[in-house]
Amino acid sequence: MHHRTSLVRPSPIRLLSALAVTGLLLTGCGGTAGPAAGTSPSASAAATVPEAAPRIVTTYDGGIQVLDGASFKVLGDYPLAGFNRVNPAGDGRHVIISTTEGFKVLDTGVWTDGSTHHAQDPAMTDIVFPTSKPGHVVRHDGKTILFSDGTGEISIFNSADLAKGQPEVQTHKAEEAHHGVAVELANGELVLTLGNEDSRPGIVVLDKDGKEIARNEDCPGVHGEATAEGEAVVIGCQTGVLIYSGGTITKVASPTEYGRIGNQAGSDESAVTLGDYKKDKDAELERPEQISLINTKTKELALVDLGTSYSFRSLARGPHGEALVLGTDGSLHVIDPDTAKVTSSIPVVGAWEEPLQWQQPRPTVFVNDHTAFVTDPATNTIHAVDIEAGTVTGSGTLDQTPNELTAVTG
């Protein structure tokens, strides 16, 4: 298979002066509530396990299941109507569920207490963040950041506080409600998208006191977020990406007039983020065969020809920053982000085609430590892949057709 790369130098941009953001509010609200259903009992009340016990969470039409990370045995099944999305909360234990009522919290039942590992039955907690149109969930630097598409409200809390019940939340408000995303950096700066129902033009950066320090509106169709080594934040556009690093926003333009990067995966182990790449603006559903690699240090964008298409649930990162893409050829392709070369292709599932509706099930990959979990809805199976060895180390059959997929480390 032939893999080709090309480099694109960044185009110059003009940064607007820092202005006060009308309607952008910084408030503190909420407080700790009583213990949530399913929160941890004392360590002595749960089983002690010899090592971390990863657990997997899958959604299906009508509910959510928690699986054992080694045997794939169903440990918990929770009926939940509607199309539900799942993301790790960031504490190695809880999972955030985006539901029709808002963000709900699932306790997978595994956690560490110092150097001791514990496990109990999973449980749906009574922790909830009510909102309309719950959107992106970002975990970064010990914080969980929730973005409400319906209200433009951003809720931020310490991920570890979920073990105690309803966490104390700091809230921010975007200028207007839109399908957006936000990430809070270690120094308290907040990077968030701009937009409304009609357009999403770019991003704004606030300091820890809520004052605007940077803005860029040269990012039509802004979508998605990834954070690279050194807290460089990359936001996708229909014409490239915006990189926020060291107090400056840089636009890196796509090599084609329309070059949409809307889904990304980052790693603390790499200065390069992995993104999709679509260049047919008029396609009902483009099935691209190129991926993008954005170097946040050199501000260069590389395209890699995979020779196979993929979907927005195909992108992941390995334990050493490897870029991973689950192709419609059924293989997990491993890419060196620094050289933009495919180093190996691991056969995992049968060939598949991305469905027209984005909510429909399709093979999905999620990485937990050194293992990539891959689901195959066509056969109701799940597979564990050792990324470094390049082998499938285990497989299981599910009693429901898997849709969304996530996992926790325990």
Side-chain angles (χ1 to χ4, degrees):
M1 186 179 297
H2 177 62
H3 304 285
R4 185 176 68 250
T5 66
S6 57
L7 290 178
V8 179
R9 294 284 177 180
S11 62
I13 63 165
R14 178 172 60 89
L15 293 180
L16 302 183
S17 59
L19 300 173
V21 182
T22 303
L24 196 62
L25 305 177
L26 174 62
T27 60
C29 69
T32 55
T39 55
S40 64
S42 64
S44 61
T48 299
V49 290
E51 57 186 17
R55 287 183 174 176
I56 302 164
V57 177
T58 62
T59 69
Y60 62 90
D61 186 10
I64 291 176
Q65 290 187 334
V66 180
L67 314 175
D68 180 85
S71 68
F72 304 123
K73 175 184 176 182
V74 177
L75 303 177
D77 191 313
Y78 308 94
L80 196 61
F83 177 72
N84 304 294
R85 313 207 68 184
V86 289
N87 288 278
D91 63 347
R93 171 179 176 176
H94 293 87
V95 167
I96 306 291
I97 310 169
S98 299
T99 74
T100 55
E101 300 174 355
F103 298 98
K104 293 177 66 70
V105 178
L106 173 67
D107 185 353
T108 66
V110 292
W111 76 97
T112 59
D113 179 19
S115 60
T116 305
H117 307 283
H118 303 281
Q120 65 183 47
D121 291 336
M124 189 69 72
T125 77
D126 61 9
I127 303 173
V128 63
F129 304 88
T131 191
S132 61
K133 299 181 182 178
H136 281 281
V137 177
V138 173
R139 57 197 188 277
H140 180 73
D141 192 47
K143 300 287 184 67
T144 307
I145 303 101
L146 312 177
F147 193 100
S148 169
D149 293 351
T151 65
E153 187 170 81
I154 300 133
S155 302
I156 304 172
F157 57 88
N158 292 320
S159 307
D161 288 350
L162 288 172
K164 306 171 187 176
Q166 190 79 32
E168 183 176 349
V169 173
Q170 184 183 54
T171 62
H172 302 256
K173 188 94 172 187
E175 295 180 23
E176 296 179 87
H178 64 284
H179 179 53
V181 68
V183 57
E184 184 179 82
L185 304 181
N187 63 4
E189 291 179 351
L190 184 70
V191 182
L192 68 156
T193 53
L194 296 164
N196 52 41
E197 291 184 357
D198 299 321
S199 67
R200 302 192 304 272
I203 65 172
V204 64
V205 183
L206 310 178
D207 67 13
K208 61 183 179 60
D209 298 317
K211 178 183 177 182
E212 181 177 330
I213 56 175
R215 175 183 287 246
N216 183 290
E217 297 190 29
D218 183 21
C219 187
V222 63
H223 187 273
E225 169 274 343
T227 304
E229 180 184 28
E231 288 198 311
V233 179
V234 182
I235 305 289
C237 320
Q238 293 176 350
T239 55
V241 297
L242 298 179
I243 301 173
Y244 177 71
S245 179
T248 301
I249 303 174
T250 303
K251 171 68 178 286
V252 180
S254 298
T256 54
E257 182 178 357
Y258 178 86
R260 182 181 186 272
I261 300 171
N263 300 283
Q264 299 182 62
S267 169
D268 291 339
E269 301 297 322
S270 173
V272 180
T273 62
L274 165 68
D276 56 3
Y277 194 77
K278 294 186 175 183
K279 53 189 177 183
D280 185 354
K281 186 176 183 179
D282 299 321
E284 179 183 11
L285 174 65
E286 184 177 354
R287 295 184 169 93
E289 295 191 0
Q290 290 180 312
I291 57 94
S292 57
L293 297 171
I294 298 95
N295 190 313
T296 61
K297 289 185 177 179
T298 65
K299 309 298 190 295
E300 292 177 330
L301 188 159
L303 296 180
V304 181
D305 289 338
L306 290 178
T308 181
S309 63
Y310 56 92
S311 87
F312 72 97
R313 292 188 192 158
S314 293
L315 308 180
R317 302 302 293 268
H320 305 296
E322 306 96 324
L324 307 175
V325 183
L326 179 62
T328 56
D329 60 355
S331 292
L332 186 65
H333 301 275
V334 183
I335 303 162
D336 184 326
D338 296 318
T339 64
K341 301 294 184 183
V342 178
T343 58
S344 64
S345 295
I346 309 165
V348 184
V349 299
W352 55 282
E353 183 178 75
E354 181 180 8
L356 288 176
Q357 294 184 327
W358 70 268
Q359 297 96 335
Q360 293 300 307
R362 79 284 310 280
T364 300
V365 60
F366 188 88
V367 172
N368 203 0
D369 200 9
H370 290 255
T371 301
F373 293 108
V374 176
T375 55
D376 185 0
T379 57
N380 285 6
T381 54
I382 185 169
H383 309 277
V385 180
D386 185 319
I387 298 167
E388 291 160 310
T391 58
V392 176
T393 58
S395 298
T397 300
L398 306 176
D399 59 7
Q400 299 283 356
T401 300
N403 195 338
E404 292 235 333
L405 169 71
T406 194
V408 296
T409 54

